Amino acid sequence: MTHPLLQLRDDALREIESATEEQALETTRVKYLGRSGSISAWGEQMKTLAKEEKPFIGKLLNEVRNAVTAAIETRNAQFRSQKESGALARIDISLPGTPHEIGVLHPLTQMWERSIEIFRRMGFALADGPDIEDEWHCFDALNTPPEHPARSEQDTFYLPDGRLLRTHTSTVQIRTMESTPPPIRVISPGAAYRNEDIDATHAAQFHQIEGLYVDENVSVADLKGALEFFMRELFGSDTAVQFRPHFFPFTEPSLEVYVKSRALKGGEQWIEVAGSGIVHPAVFEQVNKARGDKAYDPEKWSGYAFGLGMDRLAMILFDIPDLRLFAQNDLRFLRQFA
Ligand code: DAH
């Protein structure tokens, strides 16, 4: 004869198997395993059993309880996975998906990235400085006296407190030397501002990469080597680079840099792309005064500096006719740089 506990187990398993939804399964669970369920009732009865019966019935009760609990869990898991596949079945996989447009980097950003990568290979580190500057960092420290035309209010944007939007990234030369003793080899990409009448080649905000290299015995040959390498990496190996004498207050000698390349549109024309020169001793003296030491002794250290016009370089490289396109957010323009 089947033991009544085994009978209970078989009844429970049959009911669990035939339950068609979660609520019915829960009812079955309560009926057998709930506090006053019929399997639980056997637990209560244990007390009244004869001593020699207890181990056998106790073991059997455990087995029955475990078997029923496991069956309920299995059935519950089946319900859950049915529900999930039911939800999936309602998705129409033949519907077209949501298109995601892939963006492209702005041509100026692409220009930064290419340029920075080339200078990094030459061992230049990145330096930074603020767009809102004081006159000292923008002019005095760069050997540009108060009467210099670049300081005129018509040429620059001044704030009411006397500060200004920097007119060039050369300010970062000063900030870097103030905080760091030589030797130094940095570039600093950033925006510069001038009070310009805006046209196809002039903007009130434009972009530069400043470079500064200070070490012992730095010469014009080092400057030419570095910039020629840069231009050839950027525009191709048959690019010609020309250095023409010029004047900047903070360099002596000063040189303007021109390039010409058959790879470029308008091929046989020299195009001006940078200012450069050998750092003026007066700049080192200003830095020393601000530092309160003689770290930049002009008898010991020398350096070259340069400022590259990023907008100009990008216009040449990508054959862009009008500077204003960079700031107009016109997707027809921007999409061409994918
Ligand atoms: N700061 C100059 C400008 O914006 C460019 C320049 C010229 C930067 C000579 C330099 C330099 O570092 O040595 O027109």
Side-chain angles (χ1 to χ4, degrees):
M1 199 190 86
T2 320
H3 191 278
L5 255 175
L6 293 179
Q7 186 61 48
L8 266 182
R9 180 197 65 187
D10 293 344
D11 292 347
L13 293 182
R14 212 174 311 112
E15 277 179 49
I16 290 166
E17 195 51 45
S18 61
T20 52
E21 38 93 35
E22 279 171 319
Q23 192 51 52
L25 188 62
E26 177 60 9
T27 307
T28 304
R29 189 191 67 80
V30 171
K31 178 174 163 192
Y32 290 95
L33 296 175
R35 268 218 281 160
S36 40
S38 41
I39 293 177
S40 311
W42 272 83
E44 288 299 307
Q45 276 180 43
M46 286 290 287
K47 298 182 211 122
T48 65
L49 292 176
K51 216 176 176 184
E52 58 280 13
E53 265 190 316
K54 273 188 185 172
F56 170 72
I57 300 295
K59 187 163 173 273
L60 192 61
L61 178 59
N62 259 340
E63 284 168 9
V64 169
R65 205 189 273 128
N66 289 342
V68 174
T69 306
I72 289 175
E73 268 166 26
T74 307
R75 193 79 183 117
N76 250 328
Q78 284 170 355
F79 287 151
R80 273 198 302 274
S81 77
Q82 270 168 19
K83 232 194 246 170
E84 278 160 20
S85 52
L88 282 179
R90 260 175 273 127
I91 294 175
D92 180 355
I93 57 166
S94 69
L95 279 175
T98 312
H100 290 286
E101 281 202 54
I102 296 172
V104 300
L105 291 178
H106 190 280
L108 271 177
T109 308
Q110 294 188 27
M111 196 62 224
W112 293 127
E113 292 196 346
R114 283 198 204 195
S115 306
I116 291 168
E117 187 267 330
I118 298 170
F119 282 118
R120 272 197 183 286
R121 276 193 273 142
M122 286 190 268
F124 284 83
L126 282 171
D128 203 6
D131 288 25
I132 297 176
E133 262 296 3
D134 50 58
E135 284 196 87
W136 188 79
H137 283 93
C138 201
F139 301 122
D140 304 270
L142 287 159
N143 197 32
T144 308
E147 63 277 8
H148 195 281
R151 299 181 69 148
S152 134
E153 285 189 32
Q154 283 77 49
D155 279 349
T156 312
F157 299 105
Y158 282 85
L159 277 71
D161 65 7
R163 289 182 302 163
L164 48 85
L165 297 183
R166 66 180 179 190
T167 58
H168 50 187
T169 47
S170 303
T171 53
V172 185
Q173 291 186 33
I174 305 301
R175 292 203 170 266
T176 306
M177 289 190 282
E178 275 182 286
S179 63
T180 318
I184 274 192
R185 182 156 40 176
V186 291
I187 49 166
S188 183
Y193 307 83
R194 280 177 210 174
N195 191 358
E196 297 269 14
D197 288 331
I198 294 165
D199 62 28
T201 53
H202 296 88
Q205 178 186 331
F206 55 103
H207 305 87
Q208 299 184 321
I209 288 186
E210 192 74 16
L212 175 67
Y213 177 41
V214 180
D215 208 329
E216 290 178 47
N217 303 317
V218 177
S219 71
V220 171
D222 297 313
L223 168 65
K224 288 180 72 175
L227 289 182
E228 276 177 9
F229 177 79
F230 173 80
M231 297 303 169
R232 294 201 173 120
E233 287 296 298
L234 194 62
F235 294 125
S237 54
D238 60 352
T239 303
V241 185
Q242 200 178 66
F243 294 81
R244 300 187 191 171
H246 196 74
F247 172 79
F248 297 106
F250 37 92
T251 43
E252 178 58 34
S254 302
L255 302 160
E256 269 187 335
V257 187
Y258 287 73
V259 294
K260 186 169 84 170
S261 171
R262 266 181 288 121
L264 300 172
K265 186 91 173 284
E268 289 309 292
Q269 224 177 312
W270 289 106
I271 309 167
E272 187 226 322
V273 288
S276 67
I278 296 296
V279 179
H280 199 295
V283 173
F284 285 153
E285 295 295 6
Q286 290 289 333
V287 168
N288 285 336
K289 229 188 280 172
R291 292 176 55 96
D293 62 17
K294 255 284 190 187
Y296 285 86
D297 180 357
E299 297 299 322
K300 177 165 187 215
W301 302 99
S302 50
Y304 66 69
F306 56 84
L308 293 162
M310 293 314 280
D311 310 79
R312 177 73 67 87
L313 288 177
M315 286 172 82
I316 300 172
L317 190 65
F318 298 125
D319 189 23
I320 296 166
D322 192 325
L323 184 63
R324 290 168 288 197
L325 286 163
F326 287 138
Q328 281 169 348
N329 252 353
D330 186 333
L331 289 177
R332 291 170 304 178
F333 169 69
L334 295 172
R335 282 207 180 99
Q336 297 176 49
F337 302 95

